[in-house]
Amino acid sequence: MNMSESLNLPAARDAIRQVLEADIKSYLARDRDAWLECWVNDSRFRSIMECGTMQIARSFEEFRLNVFDAMDTEPEPVNAEVRFENLEIEISNNVAWATYEETVTSSSNPRAAPNHSHNFRLLEHANGAWRILFHGCWAESLRDIESAAIEVAEDGRVLWMNRAAQSELKNFKGLTVSNGTLRASKPSWNSELRDAISGAHRLTGFGEFNRAKSSGGGEVQFPVVLGESTDGALLLCWVKVADGRVYILFGHNSDLSKQIEILQVIYALSKSQAEIVRLIANGLEIAEAADALGVSKNTARTHLRRVYEKVGVRSQIELLRLIVGFDT
């Protein structure tokens, strides 16, 4: 009789699931001792991660150092919801393999896109416990994000886009796709977009990403002011680094709430003045902003003019550049 026949298989599968959950939960909690209990620490261990770039650890020590470096970079516990889907576990003697999809959604930052990955684990049963011997993880593009998102290569080539981006590109006046490459709608706007994409690609490595994530307050993304449309609307997109990839987010997802709160405090803006700034920063024309506030177009212009006077700018573009420059 082999070992799998002597095991209580439902209980074994439940124990394996607990180990898989303990791995990610202890990592998020920054509980190193609990995390170490999930792994086999010997010369047979291997890890392969594909997160835009391939990362291979040929020993547990190499893998542990990478993980602990990430913990050191962002030492505070991460408040997030973890969801497993399509978990399948097979057991033979003292070895088990598990495949599943894992989604981690930040609770502290509701605007953050979920981190979705496909996973394979090989586990070994020894000394009365299941532990992970092989770790395989393949991060997926931002499939769960509802806002318009485009994945781009360092030279701007479009690698992937979701349906929201395909639809939004028809109306968004700041970006266009030409010959498979994402460009700003006006050549004069291209330089800043190209620099932002190139800079973001330098942050896709494991160490670089975690250092940027720590200094950026949990998300590696930054706004790019493209310009102003002919009808006076401000055009803004975000460059985001996630899963070793670079994405351009645009359309109705542009949220500068924290920066506008800082602006309001520093320059003593009234509630109405801060609200007109928020609406303009979200791409509304002055007439649309007036309608949203329930005031006349002239009143909306008066609010905006007083904002200009307080902060020392002369145009919406200057105002937006000032806002995105605030470090949150």
Side-chain angles (χ1 to χ4, degrees):
M1 182 174 65
N2 62 37
M3 182 177 176
S4 59
E5 291 175 337
S6 64
L7 283 172
N8 180 328
L9 291 182
R13 289 192 175 93
D14 185 58
I16 290 168
R17 182 186 181 99
Q18 290 180 34
V19 172
L20 301 177
E21 291 176 344
D23 162 30
I24 181 62
K25 290 181 178 179
S26 60
Y27 171 77
L28 293 172
R30 302 305 192 241
D31 186 339
R32 300 181 187 220
D33 291 338
W35 182 82
L36 287 169
E37 284 297 314
C38 299
W39 305 89
V40 173
N41 182 1
D42 67 26
S43 61
R44 297 171 298 160
F45 180 86
R46 297 291 185 275
S47 170
I48 299 177
M49 298 177 62
E50 203 294 313
C51 302
T53 56
M54 187 69 73
Q55 299 170 12
I56 301 175
R58 292 179 172 82
S59 70
F60 180 75
E61 181 62 13
E62 182 181 357
F63 180 64
R64 182 192 68 80
L65 289 173
N66 284 337
V67 172
F68 281 12
D69 179 58
M71 290 185 181
D72 289 337
T73 302
E74 190 180 0
E76 293 300 316
V78 178
N79 187 13
E81 176 188 350
V82 179
R83 187 173 74 251
F84 280 11
E85 295 178 329
N86 302 319
L87 174 61
E88 296 185 9
I89 298 172
E90 296 294 334
I91 300 173
S92 178
N93 294 320
N94 67 329
V95 174
W97 51 98
T99 58
Y100 59 96
E101 296 171 44
E102 180 184 274
T103 301
V104 181
T105 307
S106 172
S107 302
S108 57
N109 185 357
R111 292 188 288 115
N115 183 326
H116 185 270
S117 61
H118 300 272
N119 292 268
F120 172 78
R121 301 288 188 274
L122 184 68
L123 299 94
E124 180 181 63
H125 188 270
N127 300 318
W130 289 97
R131 291 185 174 86
I132 304 168
L133 180 62
F134 176 85
H135 166 265
C137 177
W138 292 263
E140 189 171 298
S141 301
L142 298 180
R143 70 163 198 173
D144 296 311
I145 192 169
E146 296 180 358
S147 302
I150 301 176
E151 181 189 349
V152 290
E154 188 169 0
D155 59 3
R157 285 179 298 110
V158 174
L159 304 177
W160 167 90
M161 72 170 72
N162 60 10
R163 291 183 179 179
Q166 295 173 26
S167 175
E168 193 72 33
L169 275 174
K170 299 174 185 176
N171 304 311
F172 186 67
K173 300 175 182 178
L175 297 170
T176 186
V177 175
S178 174
N179 296 323
T181 299
L182 184 70
R183 309 177 192 277
S185 298
K186 291 185 178 181
S188 59
W189 300 346
N190 254 328
S191 177
E192 190 163 356
L193 179 63
R194 285 198 305 266
D195 289 346
I197 291 173
S198 177
H201 270 279
R202 291 194 289 271
L203 302 177
T204 56
F206 193 81
E208 293 83 355
F209 174 79
N210 282 291
R211 281 185 283 274
K213 184 178 178 182
S214 178
S215 63
E219 284 295 297
V220 183
Q221 64 180 33
F222 43 90
V224 177
V225 181
L226 297 169
E228 186 174 351
S229 68
T230 55
D231 53 16
L234 294 176
L235 301 172
L236 172 74
C237 67
W238 290 82
V239 179
K240 179 181 180 67
V241 182
D243 302 330
R245 300 175 172 91
V246 173
Y247 301 91
I248 304 298
L249 312 180
F250 62 99
H252 298 293
N253 58 282
S254 301
D255 189 343
L256 291 167
S257 299
K258 290 183 179 179
Q259 288 92 337
I260 293 172
E261 287 175 5
I262 295 172
L263 186 82
Q264 183 176 9
V265 171
I266 292 176
Y267 294 100
L269 302 184
S270 69
K271 183 177 179 181
S272 296
Q273 290 166 355
E275 185 64 13
I276 193 72
V277 171
R278 183 185 67 80
L279 295 170
I280 292 297
N282 284 341
L284 272 65
E285 301 171 30
I286 194 69
E288 295 172 321
D291 289 341
L293 288 172
V295 300
S296 69
K297 189 174 178 179
N298 285 337
T299 299
R301 279 187 175 140
T302 298
H303 288 324
L304 189 57
R305 185 175 67 251
R306 288 176 178 165
V307 171
Y308 289 173
E309 293 169 354
K310 286 184 176 182
V311 305
V313 300
R314 293 178 294 180
S315 69
Q316 293 183 26
I317 286 292
E318 289 183 10
L319 176 62
L320 190 56
R321 291 189 188 280
L322 175 66
I323 293 170
V324 300
F326 285 123
D327 185 0
T328 60

